[in-house]
Amino acid sequence: MPELDAEDEKLVTLARSARARTQAAEGAALRDTDGRTYSASTVDQPSFKLTALQAAVAAAVSSGAEGIEAAVVVSSEGLLKESSVQAVRDLAEQAPIYLVDPSGKVLN
């Protein structure tokens, strides 16, 4: 289990807050290469569905982000969805993606 630096711990806090605020299945947060942060929760609408990380990436891209430094997903499922990973990989091949349980414990 990796030790997170202070900036990545902030992402955990943002992701946990996004999940709790909407009582969603997942919460996610990311930091772009300019240091800006974005958070989101699962979107589950009749016309479209997004994982929390896809929603956070969409927010970042729509705000002009050109890269991602790190991302966090908070989920009780215990695994990252491939679609979430791919959303980050579209912008950053090597950015770490941390999976965290709802209590804040880093799982990977």
Side-chain angles (χ1 to χ4, degrees):
M1 176 167 37
E3 286 288 320
L4 300 182
D5 66 22
E7 292 301 310
D8 292 342
E9 285 290 346
K10 289 178 189 176
L11 294 178
V12 172
T13 300
L14 289 169
R16 290 179 70 205
S17 296
R19 181 179 184 264
R21 184 173 46 252
T22 61
Q23 297 184 359
E26 294 180 337
L30 64 84
R31 184 177 55 256
D32 72 13
T33 51
D34 291 329
R36 297 175 295 188
T37 58
Y38 307 87
S39 63
S41 61
T42 307
V43 176
D44 190 357
Q45 296 294 306
S47 62
F48 69 101
K49 298 179 185 332
L50 296 172
T51 69
L53 193 49
Q54 286 174 321
V57 170
V61 169
S62 69
S63 295
E66 295 181 6
I68 296 172
E69 284 186 359
V72 168
V73 175
V74 174
S75 175
S76 60
E77 290 184 23
L79 71 128
L80 287 169
K81 292 180 175 80
E82 183 57 33
S83 56
S84 294
V85 173
Q86 192 53 53
V88 171
R89 296 295 171 244
D90 287 346
L91 292 177
E93 285 187 30
Q94 300 299 319
I97 305 171
Y98 300 104
L99 178 62
V100 177
D101 75 11
S103 73
K105 178 181 174 187
V106 179
L107 301 175
N108 70 342

